[in-house]
Amino acid sequence: MYAAAAAAAAAAAAARPSRRAVLRTAFTAAVLAGAAAALAPVLGARRPRQTLTPAPLTEETYRGRHISVDLAGAAVRIDGRPLHVMRRADGSYLSGVNHFESFATPLELARAAVDELGTNQLALAAPHHG
């Protein structure tokens, strides 16, 4: 009877992993997860960008002025002349015409610029800072 109990205890001890094996497995899993997290941006950047579809373009006439907005690049033109558009950190937009107020979309920005310009035209060459 004593031999049977000892054999059962030995079998249970053999089935349970040692502390060293558990720590080795946890360390290996942590190293692999860290390497995957570090390599994810690098491997994601290697994917080719899809350029088959043209950028969405919104055109409208607002108060007699022709507005065209390239939504992909946030390029805005009023009567064919470029409006300097800047993207803010919070995702909103502001322009050189009214840089004290920000707008949710480039189209709203263009409409506000038309309101601000009135009958005036935008300059053909946008001024550069510096």
Side-chain angles (χ1 to χ4, degrees), residues 86-94 102-104:
M86 295 164 277
R87 184 92 187 245
R88 294 175 38 117
D90 63 357
S92 62
Y93 298 88
L94 58 98
S102 59
F103 300 92

Side-chain angles (χ1 to χ4, degrees), residues 14 20 31 33 46 59 62-65 68-69 77 90-92 97 100 104 118 121 123-124 127-128 130:
R20 178 177 289 191
V31 168
R46 293 186 62 203
E59 293 189 19
Y62 178 75
R63 296 193 176 193
R65 309 292 284 274
S68 64
V69 178
R77 291 185 171 273
D90 63 357
S92 62
V97 172
F100 297 110
Q121 290 286 330
L124 284 176
H128 293 281

Side-chain angles (χ1 to χ4, degrees), residues 18-115:
S18 68
R19 180 176 175 215
R20 178 177 289 191
V22 169
L23 290 174
R24 185 181 302 143
T25 303
F27 178 74
T28 303
V31 168
L32 290 175
L39 290 176
V42 174
L43 296 175
R46 293 186 62 203
R47 286 187 220 136
R49 290 195 166 75
Q50 192 177 33
T51 57
L52 299 176
T53 57
L57 184 68
T58 301
E59 293 189 19
E60 73 172 35
T61 301
Y62 178 75
R63 296 193 176 193
R65 309 292 284 274
H66 179 75
I67 297 174
S68 64
V69 178
D70 178 7
L71 298 177
V76 176
R77 291 185 171 273
I78 298 175
D79 293 333
R81 296 176 182 221
L83 173 66
H84 183 68
V85 176
M86 295 164 277
R87 184 92 187 245
R88 294 175 38 117
D90 63 357
S92 62
Y93 298 88
L94 58 98
S95 73
V97 172
N98 185 357
H99 56 271
F100 297 110
E101 187 176 359
S102 59
F103 300 92
T105 65
L107 186 59
E108 290 177 22
L109 173 95
R111 290 175 183 156
V114 166
D115 292 340

